[in-house]
Amino acid sequence: MESAKPSFSELFEHTINFPDPNMRERLGLLVGLDDTKETLKKIIGLLINPDGVAEWAKKHHPDAKQILNFVTRRPPLIILAGDVGSGKSELAYTIGDAVARQQNIEVTLFPLSLATRGQGRVGQMTQLISGAFEYTLEHAKKLKNEEGKSRGAVILLVDEADALAQSRENEQMHHEDKAGVNAFIRGIDSLGNGKLPAAVIMCTNRPNSLDPAIRRRAAEIVYFKRPSAESRKSVLHQPLSELGFAEDDIIKIVELTGSTGERSYGFTFSDLVQRLLPSMVLDAYPNSAVDPKRAIQLTENILPTEPFKERMGNGE
Ligand SMILES: Nc1ncnc2c1ncn2[C@@H]1O[C@H](COP(=O)(O)OP(=O)(O)O)[C@@H](O)[C@H]1O
Ligand SMILES: [Mg+2]
């Protein structure tokens, strides 16, 4: 078995350093995720600055000693789960900016996508995962201070982690995938035991297939849903009013992009911003202006992405 550790640039095509104005803008454009943003900021913030919660306790619960252990000893894993196109990757890529600004330190993101990787030779998935955790561990150790707040923090993003999310209990799971899951669990534990300024964000489209051992380690599992009418309006309102659409037209389009008599699900965020809005423009370009009546027809003819059907247990 080959054991050469992949080089840093083989694993991570690019790293991102926060604060970063471009990432801040992208984070700000995400609609309907305010609670999720706050939760992530808090969890990652505590990993970076464990003294924060001790100070909080001193002020509000001076007699509380035990409970702090339960807060600070959690494994540093956050899982973002839900439909394709619901904003998981976008949030995972950009949340570091909010953390960096709140904590007033530099945060670095190491993005690892498993979608296009790990399908090659045997042992590759395990190597990718182990390698990614090793680099994260090394970097985080340098940033840790013996006392108090760390000098910086690192976020390891394991995006498109569906191959890993399949349960080890699933008999059809290939031996190699199980090894990948085990490497992931070892990695999480090594970061947690070192009490390092590092967090791992994992994104999956198949929360129900999550390995129980991974699920158990998650400090937080955040489920992403398709946008509500209010969120769809937040996304669509400005671009459509800039095109001169009347309020009634916008409301009509917001309705049409929700669930209807024929289907139980509405448009995803990416259906709205990557398909619907561009198709309105392309339809009119280059000879005419976008016409609201025509845009409504277009909307009626676009089918939203079907929800991901998970294979549950056996059968099917
Ligand atoms: N909450 C949101 N608000 C606004 N736009 C969103 C939101 N979620 C997703 N999008 C848009 O949809 C695109 C796809 O989102 P992405 O994060 O890649 O989805 P996922 O990783 O969940 O499949 C993003 O580039 C973004 O422009
Ligand atoms: Mg994604």
Side-chain angles (χ1 to χ4, degrees):
M1 187 167 139
E2 201 176 336
S3 61
K5 176 172 158 187
S7 72
F8 189 86
S9 58
E10 277 176 293
L11 283 171
F12 309 107
E13 276 145 30
H14 56 284
T15 59
I16 301 169
N17 292 309
F18 307 103
D20 173 297
N22 176 35
M23 288 300 177
R24 178 189 206 174
E25 192 185 340
R26 279 171 56 180
L27 180 62
L29 285 173
L30 290 174
V31 161
L33 296 175
D34 290 352
D35 290 350
T36 307
K37 289 181 196 172
E38 284 309 311
T39 307
L40 289 188
K41 248 186 345 192
K42 250 189 228 179
I43 295 180
I44 303 173
L46 273 184
L47 291 167
I48 295 165
N49 182 17
D51 288 356
V53 72
E55 282 157 26
W56 165 87
K58 211 194 270 172
K59 185 166 165 205
H60 298 283
H61 304 279
D63 297 327
K65 305 230 154 43
Q66 265 217 337
I67 195 162
L68 292 186
N69 290 329
F70 296 112
V71 180
T72 53
R73 282 197 194 144
R74 296 202 300 182
L77 172 64
I78 297 153
I79 297 175
L80 309 186
D83 242 339
V84 177
S86 57
K88 302 182 298 297
S89 299
E90 191 66 8
L91 185 63
Y93 268 93
T94 55
I95 191 68
D97 189 79
V99 176
R101 288 175 203 274
Q102 187 179 60
Q103 301 288 331
N104 209 9
I105 55 167
E106 185 163 295
V107 174
T108 306
L109 180 77
F110 290 178
L112 175 75
S113 171
L114 292 181
T116 51
R117 318 289 193 82
Q119 283 144 7
R121 59 208 152 74
V122 168
Q124 188 164 31
M125 178 72 99
T126 313
Q127 273 183 12
L128 289 176
I129 305 274
S130 310
F133 274 98
E134 273 173 47
Y135 286 116
T136 305
L137 195 79
E138 258 168 48
H139 192 71
K141 274 184 183 160
K142 287 186 209 145
L143 298 171
K144 185 182 159 97
N145 275 334
E146 275 324 306
E147 301 259 310
K149 194 167 161 177
S150 56
R151 283 183 290 274
V154 49
I155 299 175
L156 170 62
L157 168 59
V158 183
D159 202 4
E160 310 275 353
D162 294 337
L164 265 187
Q166 286 165 44
S167 171
R168 281 178 302 176
E169 286 161 11
N170 178 348
E171 287 187 15
Q172 281 151 357
M173 193 171 186
H174 190 272
H175 167 76
E176 169 53 23
D177 296 338
K178 291 182 196 175
V181 171
N182 290 334
F184 188 88
I185 291 168
R186 274 198 309 277
I188 291 290
D189 290 345
S190 68
L191 287 180
N193 294 338
K195 297 206 170 159
L196 296 167
V200 180
I201 303 181
M202 175 196 215
C203 301
T204 173
N205 301 320
R206 306 191 209 177
N208 295 336
S209 323
L210 272 182
D211 190 279
I214 293 182
R215 185 191 292 269
R216 189 152 42 75
R217 279 168 175 78
E220 192 81 29
I221 304 182
V222 186
Y223 293 94
F224 286 60
K225 296 197 199 74
R226 294 194 179 213
S228 63
E230 196 192 339
S231 295
R232 295 197 303 279
K233 191 169 174 198
S234 306
V235 171
L236 296 172
H237 196 273
Q238 194 178 340
L240 295 183
S241 16
E242 283 171 4
L243 292 174
F245 283 40
E247 208 59 25
D248 281 355
D249 297 325
I250 298 177
I251 288 169
K252 180 78 187 156
I253 291 173
V254 167
E255 268 171 27
L256 287 172
T257 51
S259 57
T260 63
E262 286 139 54
R263 50 161 211 263
S264 58
Y265 50 89
F267 283 46
T268 66
F269 279 109
S270 59
D271 290 336
L272 296 176
V273 301
Q274 293 176 344
R275 294 174 61 207
L276 180 63
L277 292 176
S279 75
M280 288 177 187
V281 171
L282 290 179
D283 181 63
Y285 173 88
N287 293 322
S288 59
V290 177
D291 169 43
K293 295 287 162 282
R294 173 103 192 125
I296 288 172
Q297 278 175 4
L298 272 172
T299 311
E300 285 169 333
N301 289 324
I302 293 181
L303 296 175
T305 309
E306 275 193 54
F308 193 89
K309 291 202 191 69
E310 297 208 51
R311 286 199 322 165
M312 303 284 292
N314 46 17
E316 205 206 339

